[in-house]
Amino acid sequence: MADKQKTIEIIFGGVDRTGGAISSVGRNLDTLTNKAGDITGPLAGISDSILKLDAALAALGVAALAFATKEAVSFESALIDLQKVMSEGEGQAIDYADTFSNLSSRFGVDAGSIIQSTAEFRQAGFEIDDALTLVEQSLLAVNAADLTTQESAELLIGTLAGFQAPASQAANLLDVLNGVSNQAGASVSELGEGFKILSPIAKTLGLSFEETAALLTPVVEVTRSGSESANALKTAISNLIKPTKERKELLEE
């Protein structure tokens, strides 16, 4: 604090600590003081303010340390959960720490949450490298389609599983949903809900992502519900594929 006090005296009091080489600066400070009037009044409490600032910074440091500790605990806990669902040939979860940190920095999402999402994709049957690809795609969907992280992950897991499509098709799926949403009166969230339900039967019919979207979108625009639209279409298509006796008679007529 002694150094700070000296600095205050030099800056605000015009105390000449530099010798005769720049005595003109001292004279200019004296002139400024005279013109400004009683400058020491408003600055009388500056030492106290600096002490308060020191205390505030110290408190902030403690808070930051506590936050960092909490984040570290979350990170470690998530790694343990991921390790439980990894196979022996996939190495250790900690081996992917840099990837998790990079994704966290890139998307502004807690690394622990990213690891948990990776574990969810891994539990859904995707290999660790595919799971990481899907995590990245789900985070892109969060930014582009106004989905939550959970909604995005569930959309990808449910739809890809229903279509029996590989992780490499995730980007194509999201492109289709975003493209249709931009041109139609249906949100990505609504379409995603419908895709999860309709994808198994769409796979049976040999429909592509684009064809499924073309089938689903007009109904969603009317009902404003992806799940209701998909269930209605699913029932109708099922009756066409394997009609009841009554419906079979109507179709024959």
Side-chain angles (χ1 to χ4, degrees):
M1 184 56 65
D3 291 338
K4 292 178 182 177
Q5 186 63 45
K6 290 178 181 178
T7 302
I8 294 166
E9 290 175 353
I10 292 172
I11 294 175
F12 297 106
V15 177
D16 187 359
R17 304 288 188 185
T18 59
I22 53 171
S23 58
S24 60
V25 175
R27 288 194 296 272
N28 288 337
L29 286 174
D30 290 339
T31 302
L32 177 62
T33 302
N34 292 333
K35 288 183 178 180
D38 188 12
I39 196 171
T40 58
L43 299 174
I46 194 165
S47 295
D48 292 337
S49 298
I50 291 176
L51 285 172
K52 292 177 181 178
L53 177 60
D54 282 344
L57 290 174
L60 181 61
V62 171
L65 179 60
F67 178 79
T69 302
K70 182 179 178 181
E71 290 292 297
V73 171
S74 173
F75 188 88
E76 184 176 354
S77 176
L79 284 176
I80 293 173
D81 290 340
L82 175 58
Q83 188 64 57
K84 292 177 182 177
V85 298
M86 289 175 61
S87 65
E88 293 182 3
E90 291 177 324
Q92 300 297 311
I94 192 65
D95 296 339
Y96 301 91
D98 288 343
T99 301
F100 298 135
S101 296
N102 290 336
L103 288 172
S104 176
S105 299
R106 179 180 170 191
F107 292 100
V109 177
D110 170 44
S113 298
I114 291 175
I115 300 171
Q116 291 292 354
S117 292
T118 305
E120 290 176 8
F121 283 116
R122 184 66 188 84
Q123 282 180 305
F126 296 98
E127 300 297 327
I128 185 65
D129 290 336
D130 288 338
L132 290 170
T133 297
L134 291 172
V135 168
E136 181 177 10
Q137 289 300 322
S138 70
L139 292 173
L140 287 169
V142 168
N143 289 342
D146 196 27
L147 299 174
T148 66
T149 304
Q150 189 66 30
E151 286 174 337
S152 182
E154 290 176 354
L155 188 162
L156 290 177
I157 290 173
T159 303
L160 292 178
F163 275 99
Q164 297 178 23
S168 58
Q169 287 296 307
N172 181 30
L173 169 62
L174 293 174
D175 285 343
V176 170
L177 294 178
N178 277 317
V180 171
S181 177
N182 290 335
Q183 299 296 325
S187 69
V188 172
S189 178
E190 291 167 341
L191 292 172
E193 282 295 318
F195 259 66
K196 286 189 297 181
I197 296 170
L198 200 58
S199 57
I201 200 165
K203 167 65 177 176
T204 301
L205 295 175
L207 300 179
S208 65
F209 294 151
E210 291 84 355
E211 290 168 334
T212 304
L215 182 67
L216 178 64
T217 302
V219 188
V220 173
E221 287 181 312
V222 174
T223 65
R224 309 309 305 170
S225 171
S227 58
E228 289 181 12
S229 299
N231 282 320
L233 287 170
K234 185 177 179 181
T235 300
I237 294 171
S238 296
N239 287 330
L240 289 174
I241 295 174
K242 190 177 180 181
T244 62
K245 181 179 179 182
E246 179 182 357
R247 286 187 171 82
K248 183 176 180 181
E249 291 173 353
L250 289 173
L251 288 171
E252 289 174 349
E253 291 177 4

